[in-house]
Structure formats: structure tokens, C-alpha cells
């Protein structure tokens, strides 16, 4: 009996669902407004994501520093790498004298 009721309800629901008309198209102004709103929300979400990621990294760095562990943050594949600090090369013969010459490899 329950099976028959379930089948009847299923057929009724399927027939009622199939007869629903398509929604009317939205005016272009409404579509543009929705796109602008979605773009603004995506931008805000990206800013919040970056803010909380920075916060998490700072927290992790502080914990590592307190424990005396080294902390080397890794950049993701899609993110630009932080620029390396510019180091001016030492000029003159003093720089050459400061570096010891590497020994030549021994031949057998």
C-alpha cells in the first residue's frame, strides 16, 4: 500500500514539475547590476582571504620564533615571489683577497 502511494506521489510530482514554464528573461540592466555585485563580492572575498592568510602566516612565524625554529615561508605557484634584497657586489682587490681560492681537484 505504501509503495503504491509513493509511486502515485512520484508520478504526480513529476507531471507537475514538467509543466512549469521557463522563467522570463531578465532585463540587461539587472544582469549588469548582478555581475557588478558579484565582481565586487569576489574582490572583497579575495581581500579578506589574503588578510587572513597573512594573519595565519604571521601567527605561525611568531610561534616558530618563540620556539627558536627557523621559519621560511613558501610562496604558492600562482603568487608572485617576493623580490630579493639587492646586494651590491664588493668591488676592488679587497673582495678578491677576502675569498679563499678553491683547491684544484686531485687527479688520479
Amino acid at each position: 500500500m505504501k509503495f503504491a502511494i509513493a509511486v502515485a506521489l512520484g508520478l504526480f510530482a513529476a507531471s507537475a514539475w514538467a509543466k512549469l514554464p521557463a522563467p522570463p528573461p531578465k532585463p540587461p540592466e539587472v544582469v549588469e547590476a548582478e555581475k557588478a555585485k558579484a565582481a565586487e563580492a569576489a574582490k572583497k572575498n579575495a581581500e579578506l582571504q589574503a588578510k587572513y592568510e597573512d594573519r595565519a602566516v604571521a601567527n605561525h612565524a611568531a610561534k616558530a620564533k618563540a620556539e627558536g625554529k627557523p621559519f621560511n615561508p613558501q610562496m604558492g605557484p600562482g603568487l608572485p615571489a617576493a623580490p630579493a634584497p639587492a646586494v651590491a657586489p664588493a668591488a676592488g682587490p679587497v673582495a678578491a683577497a677576502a675569498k679563499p681560492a678553491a683547491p684544484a681537484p686531485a687527479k688520479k
Side-chain angles (χ1 to χ4, degrees):
M1 182 67 176
K2 290 181 184 180
F3 179 73
I5 293 173
V7 170
L9 285 174
L11 290 174
F12 176 73
S15 65
W17 191 325
K19 293 180 185 179
L20 293 176
K26 295 180 181 180
E29 304 87 35
V30 174
V31 173
E32 289 298 320
E34 287 178 353
K35 285 183 182 178
K37 187 177 180 181
E40 187 176 323
K43 181 180 176 184
K44 183 177 179 183
N45 286 341
E47 289 172 355
L48 286 174
Q49 178 76 22
K51 174 185 171 184
Y52 290 118
E53 284 177 358
D54 291 344
R55 214 169 141 190
V57 170
N59 185 27
H60 181 71
K63 284 185 180 179
K65 185 178 179 182
E67 294 173 359
K69 295 181 182 177
F71 176 69
N72 298 321
Q74 301 292 319
M75 299 299 289
L79 301 174
V87 178
V94 175
K99 292 183 181 179
K107 293 183 179 179
K108 290 186 180 184

